[in-house]
Every structure is written in C-alpha cells, then in structure tokens.
C-alpha cells in the first residue's frame, strides 16, 4: 500500500514523513548513516580503500607513475583524481563517455582536495624539472545512494593516508632511474578534509535540513547536486558547494557548520582507527 | 519588493494593490502575473499596467512566441498531414489547422492550401500541455479577415512591437494609411504581412514599422511624414 | 542593526555595465561587464527539442559554456552545472512543458570572478528573453585578503566565496568557494554578499527601466 501511495502522491508521501519529524528510511533529520571503511582491499593498487556510507559504496584505487614535471611548475608533482559513475551504480547513468554529472563530481572532488592543501605537491617531486610522481586516484562508484562526494572524499583520504612512495634514485649524468619498492616512505598528509552533505527541503514556510541524504531524498529536494556540501579540514572550511535546489536561510548556516564539524571529527576517527586496525593485522 | 501600478517590475516582485482589488471583485491577471500562495508575483521584467476596472498585466519585451488562446497569428504551412495542415507559428511546436476549419469547406470541397502558403488564423486551442490548434473561421463560420494571404511580404519583429502598433493610441498606422494605400495583417506571434501597390511602398511600410520600436508617439508622427515625403519624391 | 546594515552596504561593487538585446537573432541576450570581466549570454526558447531530453513536467534547460580558448574541459562542465542548477530554480519551467530553453555563455574577458559575472549575465538575458521567472538572482563574490578581512569583489585573493541570492527573501540559492577560510569568515562573507546583492538587484531594475520606458 505504501509503495502505491508513494507512486501516486510522491510529494505528499514525503511530506507526511517530514512533518512527523522523521525521514522515510527511519532516520532523524540529523542522523547520519553508518560509515564502513576498509583499506588496502585491492592488492593490485598501491593503496586502496572501500567506503560504504549506508548504501553508497565507492572504491578508490591509487596508482603511481613517474613523469617529468610541467615546465611552468618544475617543483610540483601531480595528483589526478577521477570519479567514474558506471551504469552499475544507478539506473540514471548510461554506458559511454563520462556523463556531465560524473565530470562535475570529479571536478568538485579535485577542487575540494586542492583547496584543502592536505597534500603538498612538492612532496611528490623527486628531482625538480626532471622527475616527479604522478598519483592517479581512480574512484569507482559501485552503488550511488546519495551523498556521493562525502563517500568519495573519505575513500580518497583513507587510501592516501596508507600510501607510501617507493624510494627513487636518479642519476643526473646517465639519467638512469632506479626504483626500490622495498624501501618506502609514507606520503605526508596534512589533516583530513571531510565533506558533509545536507539536503534542503522546503516544507511550507519551514526549511528542513537533512544530513547525509540518500538518493531518494536528494531527488525530492531538487535533484542532482542541489544539496549543500560543506568540507572541513582541521576546523577550516575548504569548500562550500550548493547549486540551486531549495533556498537556504541564514539561520540554517550555523546549524550546518556545527553538524559538519561534529561529523568531520567522527570521520577522521573512523579513518584513523581503520588504518590502525589494518596495521595491527599486518604485524 | 513591493510594487504598484506603472512601476518598473522584476520577477519576484509582488503587488498588494491587486490583492486588495481581488478582495472586492474578480480581477483578471494578464501575462507576467502569477498567483502563488495568496500573493501575486511578477514573472516578467517590464512595466506593470492596469486597465480599469480589473485587468492587470506586465508590458514586457519578448521575441519568442508562446501560443495563447484567441490570438490572431500568421503562420506558414509546412506540411499537409492527412486531414490537417501543420503550420509553423514560431512557437515551440507547430500548430495544426484542420482543412474543415475554412469557410465553406467540406470533405468534398477541400480548401486550396499549398505547403509554403502564408496563413492568417486564430488560435482555437493553446494550452501548455497540448498542441496548438488554429482555425480560419470565426464562431459564425465566416472567414472574416482570416485565411490564406496571397502575395505581399512577411517579416518578423518582436512581439511587443506588434502589440505597440495594434494599440489604438499608437499613431503609426493612422498616419501611414493617409499617405498611401496598403494592406496589413499583424500576427500576435511577431510576424507582419504587408501588401502595397509597389515594392517601394511595401519596403517603406516595413521600415516604418520596424523603425518605430523605440520611438514615442510624437517621433512616430514625424517619421511617418518624413517617409511619405521621401516616397513622394520631394526629398531624395 | 541599522548602523551595521549601513556599514555593509557601504562597500562598492565593481562597476557594472550591461547591454540587453545585444544579439539580433536570439530570443534574448545580454552582454555584461563587471570591472574588466565580460560575459555574453544568449537565451533561446522555449523551443522544440529532441524527445529523449524532453520532460513532461517542465522545460529542459540546456547550458552551453564556451570558454575563450574554445576547448571544452571538465571545468566548463562544472560551470555549466552551477549555472543550470541556479537558472532551473529561477525559471518557471512548469509553464513550458516538453520544450527546451538553451542558454549559451561566451567568455569574452576573464580577469577573475567570471562565473559570478556569467550568472548575473544569464539572469539579465533571461529577463530580456521574456521567459517567465520565479525571481531574479544576483551573484556576488567576496574575497579574503592576507589579513583575513573580507572584501567585496575580491579580485586577486586566493580565497574567494561566491553566493547567489534570490530577490524574494534574499535566501541563498547557490554557493561556491575557493581556498580555505574559517567559519566566522564564511558567515561574514555570506552576510556581506547578501547586503551587496541589493545593489545588483537595483542595477537590474535600472537596466530594465531604461528600455521598458521606450516600448
């Protein structure tokens, strides 16, 4: 019965839940979904992580490559992030070249990442103007159930925190490159940016904020990318994104920042304890 | 922002005068106005107008035609499809025109309309969810001024220019008709058909109409005399 | 509150110049310069579009962003997305179901704050095209200088916060930022942008009054 009601009166169905202060999946407005993180799950990648936020599942794999730095920035290495949204993760995506949405998500991710300055690209340079690391971070979404950017950032940070770079010796005269994969130095990661999404739902004269929205909630609140994403790194904001959707009042902003801060601390703890566990198993 | 009649308005403004008038009697909301949650919002940029007793609308600039019921439009037949014609009126989709909606047309006696003909017709059905439908007869089955337009010359202009020249207070057509004879059909979809005795005169009418877009009444009058004197050969 | 409000309004925006109906063949167009940054936007529609992208509920917005170099990039897709989502909120698409409205943005000069200029220009072009709108919107950019002070315009600052407000309740529709900043800075920047959006709306009204008196 409920399913039919949902189909016939999609908005009223949603309103009925919201006006009783509960979300259709049983959560409170500011309740987040469970986060599950697993690192080093892919053996073929240099570093990897699988992250589940509720049903949203993303896999991040990191590959390393050597390259010559750009002539205009001879002291910087490269970090390339890419998000793939395959038809696997939602019926909205078709096979073929990356959809507009995938490109937008990729751009947002790299934007947040570079703004947070959590990785100094100078650390990736081996010999200025000659040799530098290229870190390819490929993120594949297996199941898209909302708040994709949040999950992608967690996966990216979890894998980068476990990444270690092999030692490279470079002979400037012979231009010979020697890579020693056994002696590794961990990559320096400064802080840990965390993104938190909020869907804004307009219920007659009242704006409701839904933390960590699911795909269904995102759709009810204005569709793709209409939610408000706040990214925090070490207490500083490194990205605020909101494109269209319901309007956000000034009062809401402080509330949003408070929740985002709490969540940032939580996520950092989750990632750290996961990496700690992984290390203790290895030993 | 709160606005009153004859103000320059932007979308999102609201007008309380209309609500007050609406409490006493029925009001008619014309283009550019929209009722939402007991408030009247403006949806187009322009000037808010009122005609006594209770009609309100926004005078705005527009080039693209959005079909509206009861308007006379000029269209071009683009296809003959079974028992109807498809007519391009400049809207988002073409309009249909049944061959029975001509004066005296029957199943046997089809009107002679070819692809490419220019038609002056009335919008019978124009809803956002349905294909617009045209007719070439009035409610008495008479053709009136509607039907195929032969010869002449059609040109496009902005929709507010058509509204302007059809406004009884605009002196353009009154001044021009005293100077030399011509026929004119103005479609509310921003197309104007003119026919005069010579090509020179046709072009003169066309230019006079296009030239008056941003002129005041006084300037239009002097422009008309100017064009007439050039046409008569007094000034070269 | 009164004194504070006045203080916020004292800030000057970059000088804006605009010409509506710049292109003769499109349904609506505008060219806008904010300081040295110039954008040209044309709006066409409501038009017939291919049936796969038609929506039975509302009109489909198609945004095309042409950068100066002409090469499409991922950053352009992002900008298109920002503009699409913002315009979708403003356009009363439910009045034109199964049609498409095409908005083309051409970058002419970019001396910083281009996206903000493009958004304002798109709003003016939509006003010019006569498409029904729920409200108008204004995009204002704030920068944070070396001392951590919030400055309006903010050209040359590493940290920039841009906000788009609607004209009805001045609530936030769109927001995007560059660089890192503290919470307090963010809230101050939003308040500044909000106050400055009044100036942009006044500018829109000025532009519209200039041409609506003639028609």
């Amino acid at each position: 019965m409920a399913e039919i009601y949902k189909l016939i009166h999609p908005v009223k169905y949603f309103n009925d839940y919201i006006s009783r202060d509960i979300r259709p999946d049983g959560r409170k407005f500011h309740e987040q979904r469970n986060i599950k993180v697993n690192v080093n799950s892919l053996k073929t990648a240099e570093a990897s992580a699988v992250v589940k936020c509720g049903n949203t599942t993303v896999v991040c794999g990191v590959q390393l490559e050597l390259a010559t730095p750009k002539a205009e920035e001879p002291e910087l290495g490269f970090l390339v992030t890419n998000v793939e949204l395959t038809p696997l993760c939602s019926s909205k995506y078709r096979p073929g070249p990356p959809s507009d949405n995938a490109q937008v998500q990729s751009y947002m991710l790299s934007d947040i990442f570079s703004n947070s300055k959590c990785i100094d690209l100078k650390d990736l340079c081996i010999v200025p103007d000659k040799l530098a690391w290229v870190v390819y971070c490929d993120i594949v979404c297996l199941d898209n159930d909302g708040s994709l950017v949040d999950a992608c950032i967690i996966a990216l940070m979890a894998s980068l925190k476990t990444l270690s770079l092999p030692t490279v010796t470079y002979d400037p005269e012979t231009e010979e490159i020697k890579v020693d994969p056994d002696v590794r130095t961990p990559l320096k990661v400064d802080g840990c940016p965390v993104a938190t999404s909020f869907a804004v739902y307009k219920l007659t004269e009242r704006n409701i904020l839904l933390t960590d929205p699911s795909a269904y909630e995102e759709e009810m609140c204005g569709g793709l990318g209409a939610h408000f994403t706040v990214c925090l790194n070490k207490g500083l904001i490194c990205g605020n994104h909101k494109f269209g959707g319901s309007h956000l009042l000034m009062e809401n902003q402080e509330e949003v920042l408070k929740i985002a801060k709490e969540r940032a601390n939580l996520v950092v703890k989750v990632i750290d304890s996961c990496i700690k566990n992984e290390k203790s198993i290895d030993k | 922002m709160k606005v009153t009649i004859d103000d320059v308005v932007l979308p999102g403004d609201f007008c309380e005068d209309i609500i007050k008038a609406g409490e006493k009697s029925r009001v008619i909301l014309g283009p550019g106005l929209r009722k939402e949650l007991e408030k009247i919002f403006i949806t187009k940029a322009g000037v808010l107008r009122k005609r006594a007793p209770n009609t309100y609308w926004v005078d705005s600039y527009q080039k693209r035609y959005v079909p509206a019921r009861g308007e006379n439009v000029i269209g071009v037949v683009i296809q003959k499809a079974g028992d109807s014609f498809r007519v391009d009126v400049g809207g988002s989709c073409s309009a249909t025109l049944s061959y029975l909606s001509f004066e005296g047309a029957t199943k046997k006696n089809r009107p002679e309309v070819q692809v490419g003909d220019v038609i002056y017709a009335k919008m019978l059905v124009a809803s956002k969810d349905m294909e617009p439908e045209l007719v070439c007869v009035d409610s008495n089955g008479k053709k009136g001024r509607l039907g195929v337009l032969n010869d002449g010359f059609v040109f496009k202009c902005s929709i507010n220019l058509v509204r302007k020249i059809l406004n009884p207070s605009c002196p353009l057509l009154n001044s021009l008709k005293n100077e030399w004879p011509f026929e004119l059909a103005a479609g509310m979809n921003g197309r104007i058909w003119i026919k005069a005795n010579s090509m020179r005169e046709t072009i003169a009418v066309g230019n006079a109409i296009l030239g008056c877009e941003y002129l005041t009444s006084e300037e239009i009058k002097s422009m008309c005399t100017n064009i007439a004197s050039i046409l008569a050969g007094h000034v070269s | 509150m009164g004194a504070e409000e006045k203080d916020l309004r004292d800030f000057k925006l970059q000088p804006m110049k605009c010409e509506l109906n710049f292109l003769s063949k499109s349904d609506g167009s505008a060219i806008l310069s904010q300081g040295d940054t110039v954008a040209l936007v044309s709006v066409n529609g409501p038009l017939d579009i291919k049936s796969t992208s038609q929506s039975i509920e509302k009109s489909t917005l198609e945004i095309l962003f042409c950068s100066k170099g002409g090469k499409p990039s991922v950053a352009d897709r992002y900008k298109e997305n920002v503009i699409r989502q913002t315009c979708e909120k403003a356009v009363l698409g439910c009045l034109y179901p199964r049609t498409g409205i095409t908005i083309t943005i051409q970058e002419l000069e970019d001396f910083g704050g281009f996206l903000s200029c493009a958004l304002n220009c798109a709003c003016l072009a939509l006003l010019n095209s006569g498409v029904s709108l729920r409200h108008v919107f204004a995009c204002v950019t704030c920068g944070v200088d070396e001392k951590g002070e919030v400055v309006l315009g903010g050209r040359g600052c590493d940290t920039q916060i841009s906000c788009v407000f609607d004209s009805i309740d001045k609530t936030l529709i769109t927001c995007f930022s560059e660089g890192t900043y503290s919470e307090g800075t963010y809230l101050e920047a939003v308040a500044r942008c909000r106050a400055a959006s009044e100036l942009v709306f006044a500018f829109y009204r000025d532009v519209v009054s200039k041409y609506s008196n003639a028609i």
Side-chain angles (χ1 to χ4, degrees), chain A residues 38-69:
Chain A
N38 188 359
V39 290
N40 281 337
S41 13
L42 307 178
K43 294 300 165 207
T44 47
E46 295 289 338
S48 63
V50 181
V51 171
K52 270 193 95 156
C53 291
N55 284 331
T56 305
T57 317
V58 293
V59 180
C60 173
V62 178
Q63 291 289 356
L64 291 173
E65 224 174 72
L66 286 167
T68 334

Side-chain angles (χ1 to χ4, degrees), chain A residues 68-80:
Chain A
T68 334
K70 271 191 219 160
E72 58 263 40
E73 293 162 331
E75 290 185 347
L76 300 185
F78 306 91
L79 197 139
V80 185

Side-chain angles (χ1 to χ4, degrees), chain A:
Chain A
M1 193 58 204
E3 278 300 305
I4 298 170
Y5 182 41
K6 185 176 164 183
L7 276 176
I8 297 174
H9 289 295
V11 177
K12 197 165 174 290
Y13 174 84
F14 197 71
N15 272 346
D16 282 354
Y17 275 103
I18 298 298
S19 53
R20 283 174 181 74
D21 284 346
I22 195 137
R23 288 153 75 168
D25 55 6
R27 283 189 283 161
K28 290 260 158 41
F29 289 161
H30 292 312
E31 203 176 319
Q32 295 146 26
R33 294 175 291 181
N34 290 336
I35 305 170
K36 290 174 193 154
V37 186
N38 188 359
V39 290
N40 281 337
S41 13
L42 307 178
K43 294 300 165 207
T44 47
E46 295 289 338
S48 63
V50 181
V51 171
K52 270 193 95 156
C53 291
N55 284 331
T56 305
T57 317
V58 293
V59 180
C60 173
V62 178
Q63 291 289 356
L64 291 173
E65 224 174 72
L66 286 167
T68 334
K70 271 191 219 160
E72 58 263 40
E73 293 162 331
E75 290 185 347
L76 300 185
F78 306 91
L79 197 139
V80 185
T81 51
N82 183 37
V83 182
E84 250 179 71
L85 296 171
T86 54
L88 188 74
C89 65
S90 165
S91 54
K92 277 181 209 141
Y93 304 112
R94 303 257 148 250
S99 63
D100 278 3
N101 188 37
Q103 292 186 39
V104 171
Q105 300 283 2
S106 288
Y107 183 84
M108 249 177 95
L109 197 67
S110 61
D111 194 44
I112 292 167
F113 190 74
S114 60
N115 278 337
S116 75
K117 299 191 187 84
C118 64
I119 296 225
D120 192 354
L121 291 179
K122 281 181 188 159
D123 293 345
L124 296 175
C125 182
I126 304 159
V127 183
D129 208 19
K130 293 286 179 214
L131 206 58
W133 285 114
V134 189
V135 183
Y136 286 107
C137 307
D138 286 300
I139 299 169
V140 179
C141 178
L142 298 182
D143 192 349
N144 182 6
D145 192 16
S147 315
L148 188 65
V149 174
D150 305 16
C152 287
I153 289 271
I154 299 176
L156 180 66
M157 288 321 295
S159 17
L160 286 178
K161 280 195 170 192
T162 53
L163 181 68
S164 54
L165 302 170
T167 331
V168 180
T169 38
Y170 177 78
D171 192 331
E173 271 163 27
T174 57
E175 298 207 335
E176 197 187 345
I177 303 164
K178 234 192 221 165
V179 181
D180 185 358
D182 295 326
V183 187
R184 286 171 172 266
T185 45
L187 181 68
K188 254 186 258 162
V189 182
D190 181 27
C192 176
V194 175
T196 311
S197 292
F198 298 87
V200 192
Y201 189 70
K202 196 172 174 355
L203 186 75
T204 52
E205 301 304 309
R206 199 153 73 103
N207 269 350
I208 309 274
L209 283 170
L210 306 173
T211 315
D212 194 16
S214 67
Y216 167 63
E217 285 163 348
E218 272 180 12
E219 204 176 303
M220 294 307 296
C221 298
L224 286 173
H227 50 274
F228 184 50
T229 308
V230 185
C231 310
L232 286 160
N233 183 24
K234 297 194 298 181
L236 287 177
I237 304 172
C238 56
N240 261 316
H241 296 266
K242 181 184 186 300
F243 313 132
S246 294
H247 303 185
L248 197 63
L249 301 173
M250 282 305 271
E251 302 93 87
N252 297 141
Q253 309 249 1
E254 289 176 32
E255 194 184 343
V256 162
L257 291 174
K258 199 174 129 243
I259 297 166
K261 247 187 198 167
E262 283 167 15
R263 187 176 139 100
N265 292 336
L266 181 88
V267 170
V268 171
K269 254 186 227 161
V270 170
I271 296 177
D272 285 345
S273 62
C274 171
I275 294 170
K276 215 187 267 170
N277 280 347
E278 173 74 16
K279 274 183 187 155
S280 62
I281 293 167
D282 278 352
K283 278 171 193 165

Side-chain angles (χ1 to χ4, degrees), chain B residues 1 8 10-13 34 42-47 61-64 66 92 128-130 160 164 213-214, chain C residues 21 24 26-27 45-48 92 94-95 97-99 127-128 130 132-134 136 167 205 209 211 215:
Chain B
M1 199 175 126
V8 171
L10 287 180
D13 293 343
R34 173 186 163 88
I42 311 284
T43 63
K44 285 180 187 182
V47 183
Y61 185 84
Q62 194 167 342
K63 280 185 191 165
R64 170 71 51 183
V66 178
S92 64
K128 60 179 180 157
D129 299 306
M130 285 193 308
N160 44 303
K164 181 173 184 168
E213 182 151 18
Y214 299 107
Chain C
N21 229 355
S24 63
S26 59
D27 292 338
L47 289 168
D48 200 11
L92 271 166
C94 55
L95 295 183
R98 287 167 293 101
T99 60
L127 285 181
N128 182 234
S132 287
L133 302 177
R134 227 171 249 121
V136 286
S167 62
R205 207 170 289 271
S209 69
Y211 83 91
I215 56 174

Side-chain angles (χ1 to χ4, degrees), chain C:
Chain C
M1 191 67 197
E4 199 189 332
E5 199 117 289
K6 191 170 173 291
D7 174 49
L8 289 175
R9 267 171 215 199
D10 272 348
F11 284 89
K12 288 269 172 357
L13 282 171
Q14 283 174 333
M16 295 202 281
K17 278 183 203 146
C18 169
E19 191 180 330
L20 290 183
N21 229 355
F22 187 75
L23 305 170
S24 63
K25 293 296 168 200
S26 59
D27 292 338
S29 57
I31 184 168
L32 174 71
S33 71
Q34 287 187 324
D36 295 330
T37 304
V38 189
L40 171 63
V41 176
S42 103
V43 174
N44 280 306
L47 289 168
D48 200 11
I49 49 162
K50 61 176 189 287
S51 54
T52 46
S53 44
Q54 279 180 7
S55 157
I56 53 161
E57 283 174 344
K58 57 184 172 63
S59 123
T60 312
L61 280 186
E62 285 178 348
I63 314 281
L64 195 68
F65 189 97
C66 309
S67 58
K68 217 158 132 192
K71 259 193 191 162
S73 72
V74 177
D76 292 350
R77 295 288 95 69
Y78 170 81
K79 286 175 191 156
E80 282 174 10
N81 186 55
V82 174
I83 296 167
R84 178 187 305 108
Q85 298 278 1
T86 311
C87 292
E88 215 155 69
K89 194 65 208 166
V91 173
L92 271 166
C94 55
L95 295 183
Y96 317 105
R98 287 167 293 101
T99 60
I101 297 174
T102 318
I103 302 177
T104 314
I105 298 123
Q106 174 66 52
E107 172 186 352
L108 293 177
E109 295 289 347
D110 184 4
F111 288 92
F114 182 75
L115 191 50
S116 143
C117 180
L119 275 161
N120 290 338
C121 193
C123 183
L124 283 163
L126 281 169
L127 285 181
N128 182 234
S129 72
V131 173
S132 287
L133 302 177
R134 227 171 249 121
H135 49 70
V136 286
F137 52 87
C139 183
V140 186
T141 303
C142 266
V144 182
D145 63 11
E146 296 85 12
K147 289 177 223 147
E149 302 270 320
V150 178
V151 286
L152 217 53
R155 190 197 295 175
C157 297
D158 286 342
T159 303
Q160 290 190 350
I161 305 163
S162 305
C163 301
V164 182
F165 293 94
D166 76 300
S167 62
I168 301 180
D169 318 310
K170 314 278 178 312
T171 49
L172 189 70
I173 311 175
T174 296
C175 162
F176 47 93
S177 66
E178 261 175 55
T180 53
Y181 41 89
S182 72
E183 209 176 293
T185 315
Y186 170 68
L187 292 175
E188 193 189 338
V190 174
R192 283 259 154 97
C193 291
R194 190 178 157 156
S197 69
E198 288 286 348
L199 298 174
V200 183
F201 291 132
F203 173 73
Y204 287 169
R205 207 170 289 271
D206 202 40
V207 170
V208 171
S209 69
K210 260 179 204 145
Y211 83 91
S212 58
N213 287 334
I215 56 174

